[in-house]
Amino acid sequence: MAREQLNSASYNWNAFADRPQLASALAAKVADRLTRAIDRRGRAFLAVSGGTTPAKFFADLSAAPIAWDKVIVTLVDERFVPASSPRSNAGLVAANLLQNAAKAARFVPLYHEAAGIEDAATSDDAALRSLPWPLDVVVLGMGPDGHTASFFPDADDLPKLLDPASDRMILPVHAKSAGEPRLTLTLARIIDADFLALHIEGEDKRVAFDNAVAPGPRKPIRAVLDASPKPVEVFWAP
């Protein structure tokens, strides 16, 4: 059960006593939204983030009794590395989400071999247009610097990434703080989702979130909250 729920104009704060409770609740919410989408339009389209935080949530969601053969899964963002790399978000999704019943889902990775990340982004942008937009569910994560997806504060062309009117599906990202180059869905595609959630864990992430929504220089996660036409559902546990 949620320990605490706070509301604002841009987000709903759902706090849980521990991380297993959060993972279970978030998995149930996402499964319900995917089922609703399948009932409404015959398919569902899900985008998830990477990192280590969502592993338990992925495991719980993978066992949900939904029509996974009608679900398309893609990534919010990806490092420009092959799936065999330990830093690949696709590898994390394959190991933790695309298991159990969820093996039947169709997975659309963002990385593929290309001469460079700009070429990869152009090719991905064209390929992604064939998918059933808008997204039904997006689950974001957040870094301690307030970045989400690959919207890093020091990213080149950050305003382009955060343009809510962009017609691009995906863009390349160069940021010193990110390490290797990345591919990311644009803000415009993320905020079009029917259900948008933010999954964060730990006291440090709560402090980072509080700082991001406080008055002052706008962090990328604040840009998402401000641009979303619906309150973002924030799931947090210590």
Side-chain angles (χ1 to χ4, degrees), residues 123-135:
S123 178
D124 279 346
D125 192 83
L128 288 172
R129 290 182 187 276
S130 67
L131 299 179
W133 301 91
L135 286 154

Side-chain angles (χ1 to χ4, degrees), residues 37-49:
I38 292 167
D39 290 344
R40 186 178 69 251
R41 60 177 186 152
R43 62 194 176 215
F45 191 13
L46 165 68
V48 294
S49 59

Side-chain angles (χ1 to χ4, degrees), residues 16 30 51 82 88 94 97 100 124 126-127 139 168-169 173 177 184 222 229 231:
F16 296 83
V30 170
S88 166
L97 176 56
N100 304 311
D124 279 346
V139 182
R168 289 293 299 268
M169 303 288 143
V173 179
S177 62
T184 188
R222 178 62 181 271

Side-chain angles (χ1 to χ4, degrees), residues 1-4 13-27 53 56-57 60 199-203 206 234-238:
M1 294 292 292
R3 184 186 69 190
E4 172 190 12
W13 178 268
N14 304 280
F16 296 83
D18 56 45
R19 298 178 186 188
Q21 287 186 31
L22 183 160
S24 177
L26 180 55
T53 298
K56 180 65 170 67
F57 154 61
D60 287 357
H199 176 188
I200 53 176
E201 297 178 353
E203 293 294 342
R206 177 161 191 163
V234 183
F235 286 72
W236 174 83

Side-chain angles (χ1 to χ4, degrees), residues 29-114:
K29 176 65 75 173
V30 170
D32 176 66
R33 289 289 182 153
L34 295 176
T35 298
R36 288 193 206 181
I38 292 167
D39 290 344
R40 186 178 69 251
R41 60 177 186 152
R43 62 194 176 215
F45 191 13
L46 165 68
V48 294
S49 59
T52 57
T53 298
K56 180 65 170 67
F57 154 61
F58 284 168
D60 287 357
L61 181 60
S62 73
I66 64 177
W68 282 103
D69 61 324
K70 295 183 170 84
V71 178
I72 298 171
V73 180
T74 193
L75 293 162
V76 169
D77 66 325
E78 179 62 285
R79 297 173 178 87
F80 193 53
V81 296
S84 58
S85 168
R87 292 178 57 76
S88 166
N89 287 340
L92 177 76
V93 169
N96 295 282
L97 176 56
L98 302 177
Q99 300 293 324
N100 304 311
K103 283 184 178 179
R106 174 189 172 193
F107 179 59
V108 180
L110 299 186
Y111 172 85
H112 67 273
E113 289 188 17

Side-chain angles (χ1 to χ4, degrees), residues 159-171:
K160 189 175 180 180
L161 300 174
L162 296 177
D163 178 4
S166 174
D167 64 352
R168 289 293 299 268
M169 303 288 143
I170 189 169
L171 285 169

